[in-house]
Amino acid sequence: MKTRLLIMLLGFFLAMPGFTSANLQTPDNSEKQGERSTVPGSQDKAEDKESEECDCEKQEHSHKNWQAKMAEREQNLLAWVDQYTPEKKSEWIKVLAEKKELRNKWLSPENAQKREKWKQEKMAKIQELKKQLDAGKITKEEFVQKAHGGKAMGNWKTFHDLKAAVETKNDQQAATLLNQLLEQSKQHNEKIKAMLAE
């Protein structure tokens, strides 16, 4: 059971855009994969990268479905911006475009070493937390909180709270959450810039 939990958390980490692309974690902070190259032979490398970053056999998803879901999420987000905070639309467009650019840089071959270093550090942290969990020093909830990091999960939670506010037609709450999500997205972009600068 603990191994299964670890594998699921690991897959979640690697699929999160906030950590690897960085939606990197913006509203759809889970965006991660860039578009595949059309250079002959590069598709195999892209597939290797996908399997390296995500344990697809153990998770019930495909990256094409994931990319479509993220595109749909972005469309919904911009529609909500039009409806609840139209004065911020140009700012949102800029932030989302920057997010995509940063994700593409992060996933570029030039940053493979940085990605690998980040991945190793993350894995070491998870292994240490797993040891603490197994020893009873932390609870399962603490494990999840520390493994994901509270701020990194903020974008995901805010987006889902926003979706709920839209569904219940709570206009004031939706506008507040959109502004909050915009700030979180800007912070996320700054985090990715810092990771790229290391």
Side-chain angles (χ1 to χ4, degrees), residues 98-111:
E98 182 180 41
K99 179 190 123 200
K100 287 178 185 176
E101 180 183 335
L102 290 169
R103 181 187 65 236
N104 288 338
K105 284 182 183 177
W106 179 250
L107 294 173
S108 70
E110 301 88 56
N111 288 305

Side-chain angles (χ1 to χ4, degrees), residues 133-174:
L133 177 65
D134 290 343
K137 294 179 181 177
I138 60 173
T139 65
K140 187 176 178 180
E141 292 77 21
E142 289 172 324
F143 173 82
V144 172
Q145 177 67 20
K146 290 179 180 183
H148 290 298
K151 288 188 177 183
M153 294 299 289
N155 292 350
W156 180 87
K157 183 180 181 332
T158 304
F159 181 83
H160 288 281
D161 290 348
L162 170 62
K163 187 175 178 183
V166 168
E167 288 171 356
T168 59
K169 301 189 185 310
N170 187 338
D171 295 0
Q172 186 177 0
Q173 180 75 3

Side-chain angles (χ1 to χ4, degrees), residues 80-140:
W80 296 335
V81 168
D82 279 338
Q83 185 175 355
Y84 300 107
T85 58
E87 70 281 2
K88 303 262 179 132
K89 184 159 187 183
S90 62
E91 200 172 349
W92 266 108
I93 290 171
K94 180 181 173 187
V95 167
L96 292 172
E98 182 180 41
K99 179 190 123 200
K100 287 178 185 176
E101 180 183 335
L102 290 169
R103 181 187 65 236
N104 288 338
K105 284 182 183 177
W106 179 250
L107 294 173
S108 70
E110 301 88 56
N111 288 305
Q113 190 174 4
K114 289 179 184 179
R115 283 193 313 272
E116 187 59 32
K117 179 183 176 205
W118 173 87
K119 186 177 175 181
Q120 289 174 355
E121 289 171 357
K122 192 55 124 173
M123 293 299 297
K125 179 181 176 182
I126 290 172
Q127 288 299 325
E128 179 58 34
L129 289 170
K130 185 178 181 319
K131 287 178 187 176
Q132 292 178 22
L133 177 65
D134 290 343
K137 294 179 181 177
I138 60 173
T139 65
K140 187 176 178 180

Side-chain angles (χ1 to χ4, degrees), residues 27 77 92 155 158-159 177-185:
L77 182 63
W92 266 108
N155 292 350
T158 304
F159 181 83
L177 289 168
L178 276 167
N179 290 330
Q180 182 180 336
L181 194 55
L182 180 60
E183 289 308 310
Q184 289 172 339
S185 298

Side-chain angles (χ1 to χ4, degrees), residues 183-195:
E183 289 308 310
Q184 289 172 339
S185 298
K186 288 177 182 178
Q187 290 171 7
H188 179 73
N189 284 353
E190 291 304 314
K191 177 183 173 185
I192 300 310
K193 284 179 190 176
M195 290 169 72

